[in-house]
Amino acid sequence: MGPGRRLRPGDLLEGWRYILTHPALRLLFFNTVLVNGLILATSPLLAVLMLSDLGFAPWQYGLAFGLPCVGGIIGSRLARPLVARFGRHKVMLAAGALRACWSLGLASIRPGVAGLVLVMAVEFGLITCMGVFSPVFATYRLDQTATDRIARTLSAWSVTSKATVAVMTGLWGLLASITGPRAAIAVAGLLMLITPFLLPRRDHTPHHGRDPARLVVSGFSTRGPGRRRTRPRGPDRRPRTCRGCRRRP
């Protein structure tokens, strides 16, 4: 897509086609869309459960979801050293799997201080894992996407994610009206446990390509392992000769 050109429906179709035919992007696409949809679909249910059913004060609700946001900063700061030590793909798999293990705990909220601490602990763990996963995933997705397909791919990804959140929020509201907020939150938590199976097991980054996350972590040098740094030769630099070979005036 050229600069200033508007996104057309055909561009979205091309983006979806590119994602669904790519072995790594296809799995990550379903993983991230499902995870985001499940997390945001349960947010209204948690508000109803905590403020209405369990009697938490509004300031307690704000504290329970505001304070754990520090985990996002911590996670984003940890992403760089973790990638440097373990590699980008392993960190993405581990963080993507760990972020799916927290939401089920929200179904066991109880009134009082213990329930408030439980919500804060679950949210802190979830947000920290997402803080590690998000920058690593974003770099991996760009590295896997051809340069001329980036705008279409990201647009199709964003449209699908927003539409999925809207649909799942409505569905979980309907489910909560039948089973209650706690049961609907538990169903979302159980479905979250399936999402790690949608992460790519193999690293599809070409061996001849550079790993942008690793370059950012390890430094700016891109010299190969077998190359030597040669000293620059200026016009006034002469090759060395032995003493016996020098000409005498």
Side-chain angles (χ1 to χ4, degrees):
M1 293 175 59
R5 177 184 167 186
R6 291 185 177 181
L7 191 70
R8 300 178 301 179
D11 296 323
L12 288 177
L13 292 175
E14 183 63 29
W16 283 319
R17 186 182 299 111
Y18 184 80
I19 292 171
L20 296 177
T21 56
H22 194 288
L25 293 181
R26 180 174 60 248
L27 291 174
L28 281 173
F29 177 70
F30 289 116
N31 175 273
T32 56
V33 167
L34 185 58
V35 168
N36 293 338
L38 290 171
I39 291 175
L40 294 178
T42 56
S43 295
L45 307 184
L46 285 169
V48 173
L49 179 63
M50 294 182 66
L51 296 174
S52 178
D53 297 352
L54 300 180
F56 284 98
W59 71 267
Q60 292 176 320
Y61 178 82
L63 181 66
F65 289 93
L67 190 59
C69 291
V70 178
I73 302 175
I74 297 174
S76 62
R77 298 289 294 178
L78 288 175
R80 181 170 178 168
L82 287 174
V83 169
R85 181 168 183 177
F86 300 105
R88 183 177 63 182
H89 192 256
K90 290 183 179 180
V91 172
M92 187 175 68
L93 285 179
L98 287 175
R99 67 178 179 156
C101 302
W102 299 93
S103 296
L104 187 59
L106 296 174
S108 58
I109 303 175
R110 293 291 180 267
V113 177
L116 188 64
V117 172
L118 173 63
V119 175
M120 294 174 66
V122 169
E123 289 295 319
F124 179 80
L126 174 63
I127 295 173
T128 302
C129 292
M130 294 182 68
V132 175
F133 177 84
S134 295
V136 180
F137 151 72
T139 304
Y140 184 83
R141 180 175 61 178
L142 286 177
D143 194 35
Q144 295 293 325
T145 307
T147 305
D148 58 339
R149 304 291 182 90
I150 289 178
R152 301 171 194 174
T153 301
L154 297 184
S155 299
W157 206 299
S158 178
V159 168
T160 306
S161 181
K162 290 179 172 61
T164 303
V165 168
V167 171
M168 294 184 71
T169 301
L171 290 176
W172 253 256
L174 180 61
L175 179 63
S177 65
I178 300 173
T179 64
R182 192 184 298 275
I185 293 171
V187 171
L190 290 173
L191 290 177
M192 282 280 286
L193 298 177
I194 303 174
T195 59
F197 295 99
L198 297 176
L199 292 169
R201 299 301 173 196
R202 294 175 50 200
D203 188 0
H204 294 270
T205 305
H207 294 290
H208 56 79
R210 294 176 182 175
D211 187 337
R214 184 168 293 279
L215 287 179
V216 171
V217 172
S218 60
F220 58 86
S221 176
T222 57
R223 293 185 298 131
R227 296 182 181 178
R228 293 183 178 178
R229 186 190 295 269
T230 57
R231 291 183 295 178
R233 296 195 176 209
D236 57 341
R237 191 173 185 85
R238 300 175 183 175
R240 294 182 179 180
T241 55
C242 62
R243 183 174 299 177
C245 299
R246 291 180 180 175
R247 287 186 179 181
R248 295 184 179 181

